[in-house]
């Protein structure tokens, strides 16, 4: 039994708003936070490592994992399938470790409607402007002009779901966003639902009262 249950921390945003950057900063701050490595049918980008950035799967492998109820959520994004494998998440939160998800609004919605919803913290990142969003996508230097155009086209669709999240952060200054993100995580860890030992502690306080172990003034 642990004194803390793990949180499912969901980060969503339109592509390029800063999810990966902030996810990395959160994990540098607290290395005990696990990253949920998604499965995807999309091809690896240069530098992406199988099992570290994604589990790169064929469509048949992906479909089988969904059929076996091995995914906590899954969605079709930018023409490819993405999903969060269930087993590592359940093991981590049971062991009191937080799990960080970089997933889209469809995945966030599915987890928020699942039996794990009480342990979920969802955060949406907005860019300061659409011009800046485009600049960030271009400066990342990872995508072709065609892919960037596709991501920009989809960005309004993602932004339009901002209202389904517990917290919304405008990611203008990176250090400032990081500080606000850490405050949110720190507070969410103290939710009643995340502290399974609280009931036992309150019972102990109650029995101290009942046994008269205090000195009334
Ligand atoms: P996402 O994971 O949401 O697609 P990234 O984290 O890859 O986005 O960020 C896209 C680009 O924008 C990266 O080059 C990153 O360094 C940069 N970036 C992220 N946040 C900021 C910020 N607050 N100010 C300036 N650049 C940023
Ligand atoms: P990318 O191809 O840029 O890595 O990711 C594209 C989009 O897919 C991003 O918005 C990312 O958040 C989302 N995504 C990545 N993994 C998952 C997942 O497991 N489930 C869902 N629903 N979305 C994901």
């Amino acid at each position: 039994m642990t004194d803390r249950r793990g949180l499912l921390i969901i980060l969503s945003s339109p592509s390029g708003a800063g999810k990966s950057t902030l996810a990395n900063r959160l994990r540098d701050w607290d290395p005990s936070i696990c990253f949920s490595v998604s499965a995807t049918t999309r091809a690896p980008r240069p530098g992406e490592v199988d099992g570290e950035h994604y589990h790169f799967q064929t469509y048949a492998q992906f479909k089988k994992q969904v059929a076996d109820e091995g995914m906590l959520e899954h969605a079709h994004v930018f023409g490819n399938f993405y999903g969060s494998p269930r087993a590592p998440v359940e093991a981590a939160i049971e062991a009191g470790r937080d799990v960080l998800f970089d997933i889209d609004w469809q995945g966030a919605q599915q987890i928020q409607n699942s039996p794990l919803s009480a342990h979920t913290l969802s955060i949406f990142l907005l860019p300061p402007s659409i011009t800046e969003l485009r600049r960030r996508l271009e400066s990342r230097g990872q995508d072709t002009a065609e892919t960037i155009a596709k991501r920009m086209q989809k960005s309004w669709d993602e932004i339009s779901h901002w209202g389904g999240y517990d917290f919304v952060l405008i990611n203008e200054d990176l250090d400032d966003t990081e500080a606000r993100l850490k405050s949110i995580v720190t507070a969410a860890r103290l939710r009643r639902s995340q502290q399974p030992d609280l009931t036992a502690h309150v019972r102990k306080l109650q029995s101290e009262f009942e046994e008269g172990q205090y000195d009334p003034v």
Side-chain angles (χ1 to χ4, degrees):
M1 179 72 160
T2 167
D3 62 350
R4 188 165 90 74
R5 195 164 282 144
L7 279 172
L8 285 80
I9 306 169
I10 300 175
L11 268 185
S12 301
S13 77
S15 189
K19 285 181 303 286
S20 316
T21 308
L22 284 156
N24 287 335
R25 287 189 173 211
L26 207 54
R27 290 169 73 209
D28 287 345
W29 169 64
D30 182 350
S32 80
I33 299 176
C34 326
F35 184 66
S36 169
V37 179
S38 296
T40 183
T41 59
R42 90 150 156 74
R45 293 191 192 119
E48 282 185 334
V49 178
D50 187 33
E52 189 184 322
H53 298 95
Y54 279 104
H55 299 289
F56 295 100
Q57 295 186 343
T58 62
Y59 177 62
Q61 288 171 321
F62 189 94
K63 216 166 81 172
K64 182 168 185 324
Q65 199 168 345
V66 171
D68 292 346
E69 299 193 356
M71 297 290 191
L72 211 51
E73 59 75 34
H74 66 279
H76 192 236
V77 189
F78 303 128
N80 292 297
F81 289 93
Y82 294 82
S84 308
R86 180 189 299 277
V89 176
E90 290 182 345
I93 64 164
E94 216 26 62
R97 296 184 65 182
D98 300 332
V99 184
L100 187 57
F101 296 79
D102 171 343
I103 59 177
D104 83 331
W105 68 270
Q106 304 173 81
Q109 219 171 56
Q110 289 171 46
I111 294 180
Q112 284 172 315
N113 291 328
S114 79
L116 292 171
S117 63
H119 307 296
T120 298
L121 167 66
S122 63
I123 302 153
F124 195 86
L125 299 175
L126 286 171
S129 69
I130 299 303
T131 308
E132 173 63 8
L133 182 65
R134 186 182 189 96
R135 194 200 63 76
R136 287 184 191 172
L137 275 176
E138 285 168 352
S139 76
R140 194 164 62 179
Q142 277 181 341
D143 296 308
T144 61
E146 192 196 346
T147 306
I148 290 178
K150 218 157 116 185
R151 287 175 189 275
M152 285 303 294
Q153 258 173 24
K154 289 285 285 175
S155 66
W156 177 249
D157 183 37
E158 190 72 26
I159 291 173
S160 69
H161 292 93
W162 67 280
Y165 288 75
D166 299 325
F167 292 89
V168 179
L169 298 174
I170 300 174
N171 179 24
E172 183 149 28
D173 177 79
L174 193 52
D175 291 339
D176 178 53
T177 311
E178 179 188 348
R180 287 180 288 147
L181 184 59
K182 289 177 187 169
S183 307
I184 292 169
V185 171
T186 302
R189 284 173 169 174
L190 296 172
R191 279 188 202 148
R192 212 156 21 108
S193 57
Q194 299 313 114
Q195 301 189 69
D197 292 352
L198 269 187
T199 311
H201 184 73
V202 173
R203 283 216 187 95
K204 187 174 122 321
L205 296 179
Q206 185 183 14
S207 63
E208 282 183 46
F209 261 110
E210 287 169 358
E211 286 160 17
Q213 291 176 10
Y214 70 101
D215 193 9
V217 186

